[in-house]
Amino acid sequence: SPPLRSVKPASLKRKGELLPDALPNRFCLDLNGFPATMWAIPPTVFFRIITAMSILLPGLVASCLLAQAPTLKAPSPLVLAPGLSTDITLNGGNLTDPLSLQLDLAASVTIPADGKNGKEPAKLLVKVTPDKNAGPGFHAMRLSTKRGSSNLRLFVTDELPLVAKTDGLKKRETAPEVKPPCVIAGRADTEQADWYKLKAKKGERVVFEILGRRLGSGIDPQITLFDAKGRELRAGHSNDAPGAQTDPRLVHTFAADGEFLVQVRDTSWRGGEDFHYLLRIGSFPVATCAFPLAITRGKTTPVGFAGPHVEGAAPVTVSAPADPAAVALDVVPRFGKDGLPGWPVSVMLSPYEELVEKEPNNDQGQAQKIPVPCGVSRSEGHTSELQSHSFISYAVFCLKKK
């Protein structure tokens, strides 16, 4: 029989009473509120409905609550200058009734209560002043409202001057001129490239670096240099650079004076709202990694750099925290104490003694003595080198341990 059917019992005295004659195994429920119209529901179906409601209802309630939580798109601007107050426009959904903006760096944060700020669901203005000692690097933000917390969004702090708005960059003929050093905030559009123009002198070495994938963007960027006539420069292209997570880095020495064009685009000509990028231009170091790769917690250690353009970058003295929760520190390469900052690299923190390879150690007679446990950082020399390390200290350590 069907699970639901209308019946008109002749002997029914009150709602919900069992019908022993016509429907002995059914509950009679008046769903419409009228005594004359009753619905007979088999007990098994009735309990299945109750069970399904008990399973689905909490999920539906949670979905409704999550749907009201704020969502953030990329902030504008993406770059904050240390020690300076910046107005950040947050775009997204459900941004009304904000409570706070959490950042992973020391900063002063204010949400102005002027006008409609805090009452518009898709837009919110926030004033942020990072600590003046905040160096270049990636950071994260999250917005909290009365309805919950948003997703994380990445942004950066940088000492290079920001070029936030450029007109005419979608055509080579109208490319805006930029003056290094600078950092440019851009966004890739489908089937289009972004063009910038700069002046350089013969023998001048300039670094071009894009923060795209590392910034959480959907762009897979590439950089190409052209002369004023639109001819690609020799050794003037970069796509995936080592240590940059598919972002490009280009160190170029110009062969002549003149005006040059910089093309930035997605490798597959994709684009859209979340295809943002930052282009850093200037004469600053380009480091792939720190050296040594790790330092001991609780100790002060000089840290150098390895990479395609680090000649003249002085080592940085790093005081490693003893906190076991800390796993790495960012170190910023510079040419001189007051030189322009390259993009930071990470040095790992270790609970063990961290050493650097000492040459010569290419045969067993010249083996470098090391304790165990420990870590040894080395830079690649000749591929034919065979590194030997003596474990005499390890034997002494074990005897003393016994």
Side-chain angles (χ1 to χ4, degrees), residues 190-191 220 222 265-271:
T190 306
E191 302 293 339
D220 183 8
Q222 68 175 34
R265 68 173 177 89
D266 181 83
T267 56
S268 300
W269 294 97
R270 299 174 304 154

Side-chain angles (χ1 to χ4, degrees), residues 160-169 172 174-186 194-201 204 206-209 223-225 254 258-264 277-282 284:
L160 300 185
L162 172 64
V163 179
K165 187 177 181 180
T166 49
D167 297 325
L169 76 164
R172 186 180 67 184
T174 58
E177 183 176 354
V178 294
K179 297 180 180 180
C182 63
V183 54
I184 305 167
D194 291 351
W195 295 87
Y196 305 97
K197 180 171 59 178
L198 60 84
K199 295 179 181 179
K201 295 181 179 181
E204 184 178 2
V206 181
V207 176
F208 304 85
E209 179 172 11
I223 302 174
T224 309
L225 301 181
F254 289 92
E259 286 189 345
F260 301 91
L261 295 168
V262 183
Q263 184 200 65
V264 177
Y277 66 85
L278 295 174
L279 171 60
R280 305 180 83 240
I281 306 176
F284 47 78

Side-chain angles (χ1 to χ4, degrees), residues 21-299:
D21 298 329
L23 299 169
N25 295 322
R26 284 174 167 79
F27 291 104
C28 286
L29 303 177
D30 183 358
L31 300 183
N32 297 325
F34 298 99
T37 304
M38 308 300 297
W39 291 89
I41 305 177
T44 54
V45 176
F46 177 78
F47 288 116
R48 287 177 184 174
I49 294 175
I50 297 299
T51 303
M53 290 178 63
S54 67
I55 295 174
L56 297 177
L57 189 59
L60 293 174
V61 173
S63 298
C64 293
L65 293 176
L66 289 175
Q68 296 180 356
T71 56
L72 288 181
K73 298 179 182 179
S76 178
L78 285 164
V79 183
L80 301 183
L84 297 180
S85 178
T86 304
D87 290 347
I88 299 180
T89 300
L90 301 181
N91 298 298
N94 300 317
L95 305 182
T96 55
D97 300 322
L99 298 177
S100 63
L101 181 69
Q102 293 94 39
L103 308 176
D104 67 346
L105 79 163
S108 171
V109 180
T110 304
I111 302 178
D114 305 336
K116 295 183 179 181
N117 194 49
K119 300 178 182 179
E120 297 182 81
K123 185 178 180 180
L124 179 67
L125 177 66
V126 182
K127 294 182 179 292
V128 179
T129 306
D131 185 88
K132 63 180 181 180
N133 295 319
F138 293 106
H139 301 282
M141 66 172 60
R142 186 194 298 272
L143 179 68
S144 294
T145 69
K146 292 181 179 180
R147 297 171 183 81
S149 296
S150 73
N151 54 307
L152 284 174
R153 274 292 181 176
L154 296 181
F155 67 99
V156 305
T157 52
D158 203 341
E159 299 173 19
L160 300 185
L162 172 64
V163 179
K165 187 177 181 180
T166 49
D167 297 325
L169 76 164
K170 297 301 179 180
K171 293 183 179 180
R172 186 180 67 184
E173 295 78 13
T174 58
E177 183 176 354
V178 294
K179 297 180 180 180
C182 63
V183 54
I184 305 167
R187 193 192 80 176
D189 292 328
T190 306
E191 302 293 339
Q192 288 185 313
D194 291 351
W195 295 87
Y196 305 97
K197 180 171 59 178
L198 60 84
K199 295 179 181 179
K201 295 181 179 181
K202 181 179 179 179
E204 184 178 2
R205 180 179 288 186
V206 181
V207 176
F208 304 85
E209 179 172 11
I210 287 184
L211 308 178
R213 285 293 178 89
R214 289 173 289 174
L215 197 55
S217 172
I219 190 173
D220 183 8
Q222 68 175 34
I223 302 174
T224 309
L225 301 181
F226 297 85
D227 63 17
K229 295 182 179 180
R231 296 173 298 192
E232 183 176 340
L233 300 185
R234 184 176 182 181
H237 176 80
S238 177
N239 186 359
D240 299 340
Q245 299 178 16
T246 75
D247 285 341
R249 286 171 169 165
L250 177 62
V251 182
H252 187 78
T253 302
F254 289 92
D257 297 349
E259 286 189 345
F260 301 91
L261 295 168
V262 183
Q263 184 200 65
V264 177
R265 68 173 177 89
D266 181 83
T267 56
S268 300
W269 294 97
R270 299 174 304 154
E273 186 178 32
D274 212 20
F275 280 67
H276 48 273
Y277 66 85
L278 295 174
L279 171 60
R280 305 180 83 240
I281 306 176
S283 298
F284 47 78
V286 177
T288 302
C289 64
F291 190 82
L293 299 173
I295 59 177
T296 306
R297 289 193 179 99
K299 290 187 176 182

Side-chain angles (χ1 to χ4, degrees), residues 354-369:
E354 293 293 331
L355 308 175
V356 175
E357 177 200 24
K358 294 181 179 179
E359 294 279 6
N361 64 340
N362 298 332
D363 57 56
Q364 294 183 6
Q366 298 173 321
Q368 178 182 349
K369 294 181 174 61

Side-chain angles (χ1 to χ4, degrees), residues 291-292 295 300-305 313-319 330-334:
F291 190 82
I295 59 177
T300 300
T301 309
V303 177
F305 304 94
V316 178
T317 300
V318 178
S319 296
D330 283 346
V331 188
V332 180
R334 297 177 187 267

